[in-house]
Amino acid sequence: MVTRRLRAFKRWMKSHGFQYSDALEFTDSPEQGIAVKALCELKEGDVVAKIPKNACLTVKTSGARDMIEDSGLDGILGLAVALMYERSIGEESPWAGYLQLLPDQECLPLIWTLNEVNKLLVGTELHKTVQEDKALIYEDWKENILPLLDLAPLKLNTKFFGIEQYFAAKSLIASRSFEIDEYHGSGMVPFADLFNHKTGAEDVHFTTISSHDESDSDSDSNNNDVEANEEPSATTLILGKDFNGSELDSSSVSGDDMTVLEMIMVKDVCVGAEVFNTYGLLSNAALLHRYGFTEQDNLYDIVNIDLELVLQWSRSLYSGRYSRARVSMWRRLGYSACVSQNSEYFEISTDWGTTD
Ligand SMILES: C[S@@+](CC[C@H](N)C(=O)[O-])C[C@H]1O[C@@H](n2cnc3c(N)ncnc32)[C@H](O)[C@@H]1O
């Protein structure tokens, strides 16, 4: 269903220089939110959208830039202030047409009440993490956001900068922001954040393309393409992270470059099917923590077992020497503290200390 908010968003995209394929359809339902579907067959290699970087909401593009930078805020904290600020000025925000499409907040564990966290996460590896998240976010707000309210020049509307609004902004940033490049840092990327996730089976990649790669020629293009690049030297971006784990694109060192972000099909998609992006190869704990959902039959799901528990169990059955031999064997087999990009969710005790 094309809702009024989607129509307003499309108008907004048009007026901000977005190009996207007519073959993409946005659907909006109260139960499932927004999804992107294929109206006709999409082919691997199709460039289905081009997003101007300066239409992304970042600290650099926000009207609150001076205040944020003068206060020494940056990163996610700076982006949270930028997002709260743009929300606070309503229709006057250049992103009004985009912001009206966002939910108030994303239902991540960090915005659950403490009761819900204690009841629903007890016994899971997220329990302590989310408790700590909540405490840290509150401290962040007290230390960094509250003092902004006394700063005169921008006359902030305080009701948009309360603790609840800060949690809401953090939940949206966790679930929808991208690391854009060295200049912009993290930002909200309209359009790119409409795609849902499918673990290890995405159809589209979100990439950053340097302006010098751009070409007017489009010899192989089909009707679904928006103008394709000749030789794109692309870096794939995923929500919240640089996908390749490589350095962020540093070609953009000022705000006036013409760099664009592109969405490129990495697989054929047939008519009527949903077009998925990837948020990474994540376990269900990581998905829940960052995005507020889990996936059935997630091939990348893992269960962490605290090594201390395993050692206690082993020591209760076997001698200390035998237990140590076991630990050494696990090490040789590569069983160790997780060193993946998402290790924050999966850390097992790294204390391999000897015990008798
Ligand atoms: C980047 S947004 C995607 C667009 C979103 N569906 C919307 O309505 O705007 C990310 C959010 O979409 C939802 N989402 C994405 N992929 C999902 C999936 N495979 N299953 C359930 N919810 C998903 C989650 O709420 C997640 O926090």
Side-chain angles (χ1 to χ4, degrees):
M1 187 167 68
V2 181
T3 50
R4 180 192 276 196
R5 64 179 189 149
L6 269 178
R7 280 197 294 275
F9 177 59
K10 285 179 173 180
R11 282 195 300 276
W12 179 84
M13 284 199 290
K14 203 168 167 199
S15 64
H16 284 78
F18 286 64
Q19 288 175 269
Y20 61 93
S21 165
D22 290 343
L24 296 181
E25 179 189 35
F26 308 105
T27 60
D28 191 358
S29 77
E31 305 78 37
Q32 272 144 18
I34 294 168
V36 184
K37 300 210 168 130
L39 266 183
C40 31
E41 204 178 332
L42 293 165
K43 291 275 174 217
E44 183 182 340
D46 284 357
V47 179
V48 288
K50 287 188 173 188
I51 301 166
K53 268 193 191 171
N54 57 14
C56 300
L57 172 49
T58 70
V59 168
K60 298 291 187 198
T61 56
S62 166
R65 172 179 177 174
D66 289 348
M67 176 187 75
I68 295 168
E69 292 184 342
D70 291 350
S71 311
L73 304 181
D74 56 11
I76 298 299
L77 191 57
L79 180 60
V81 177
L83 180 56
M84 290 190 289
Y85 173 75
E86 297 300 335
R87 286 183 135 183
S88 77
I89 58 174
E91 285 303 309
E92 281 173 35
S93 168
W95 287 274
Y98 163 64
L99 297 175
Q100 57 88 35
L101 194 66
L102 297 183
D104 285 342
Q105 58 191 16
E106 198 61 64
C107 192
L108 313 186
L110 77 85
I111 59 147
W112 299 356
T113 64
L114 259 184
N115 268 349
E116 287 168 334
V117 169
N118 291 334
K119 199 165 143 196
L120 299 172
L121 294 180
V122 66
T124 73
E125 60 196 280
L126 279 189
H127 191 192
K128 191 158 160 260
T129 309
V130 175
Q131 284 175 328
E132 286 168 2
D133 283 351
K134 287 176 82 68
L136 285 173
I137 291 173
Y138 178 71
E139 284 307 314
D140 248 5
W141 174 79
K142 227 170 56 178
E143 200 175 307
N144 298 298
I145 311 291
L146 215 45
L148 296 179
L149 302 180
D150 296 329
L151 294 178
L154 275 180
K155 288 201 185 64
L156 299 176
N157 184 342
T158 52
K159 78 172 197 246
F160 287 90
F161 290 84
I163 182 68
E164 279 175 24
Q165 287 68 32
Y166 184 54
F167 268 94
K170 292 284 283 192
S171 73
L172 291 177
I173 290 168
S175 59
R176 313 176 86 95
S177 71
F178 293 85
E179 279 284 321
I180 297 175
D181 60 26
E182 224 169 79
Y183 174 74
H184 287 280
S186 294
M188 310 301 283
V189 184
F191 186 93
D193 64 1
L194 297 185
F195 293 80
N196 287 323
H197 162 89
K198 200 177 218 179
T199 300
E202 74 272 20
D203 308 300
V204 74
H205 274 181
F206 177 42
T207 61
T208 180
I209 309 282
S210 297
S211 50
H212 58 261
D213 291 322
E214 286 186 299
S215 154
D216 286 334
S217 69
D218 187 11
S219 48
D220 293 333
S221 74
N222 60 36
N223 292 337
N224 300 332
D225 265 3
V226 294
E227 253 173 50
N229 286 331
E230 220 170 272
E231 269 187 63
S233 67
T235 309
T236 303
L237 308 176
I238 55 165
L239 287 178
K241 263 198 187 18
D242 173 21
F243 188 66
N244 300 319
S246 55
E247 290 294 303
L248 284 175
D249 175 18
S250 57
S251 62
S252 176
V253 289
S254 71
D256 48 16
D257 71 312
M258 296 303 290
T259 316
V260 293
L261 302 165
E262 291 189 343
M263 308 283 317
I264 300 176
M265 299 304 297
V266 293
K267 221 194 258 165
D268 295 354
V269 172
C270 56
V271 186
E274 177 161 358
V275 181
F276 289 100
N277 194 357
T278 179
Y279 305 170
L281 300 174
L282 300 173
S283 73
N284 277 342
L287 284 174
L288 180 63
H289 189 206
R290 243 189 244 161
Y291 307 105
F293 68 91
T294 56
E295 249 188 357
Q296 254 181 346
D297 307 321
N298 180 353
L299 287 179
Y300 293 85
D301 204 16
I302 56 168
V303 174
N304 287 299
I305 302 172
D306 187 338
L307 183 63
E308 191 46 44
L309 285 180
V310 181
L311 289 176
Q312 275 171 21
W313 167 82
S314 175
R315 283 195 302 260
S316 72
L317 292 179
Y318 310 109
S319 69
R321 173 190 280 218
Y322 184 86
S323 293
R324 283 199 302 278
R326 274 282 155 134
V327 170
S328 302
M329 183 186 74
W330 292 334
R331 266 181 167 159
R332 283 197 303 278
L333 290 174
Y335 291 28
S336 65
C338 181
V339 289
S340 82
Q341 56 172 340
N342 303 301
S343 56
E344 73 248 46
Y345 303 103
F346 311 126
E347 238 152 30
I348 54 175
S349 169
T350 50
D351 178 11
W352 296 91
T354 53
T355 39
D356 270 308

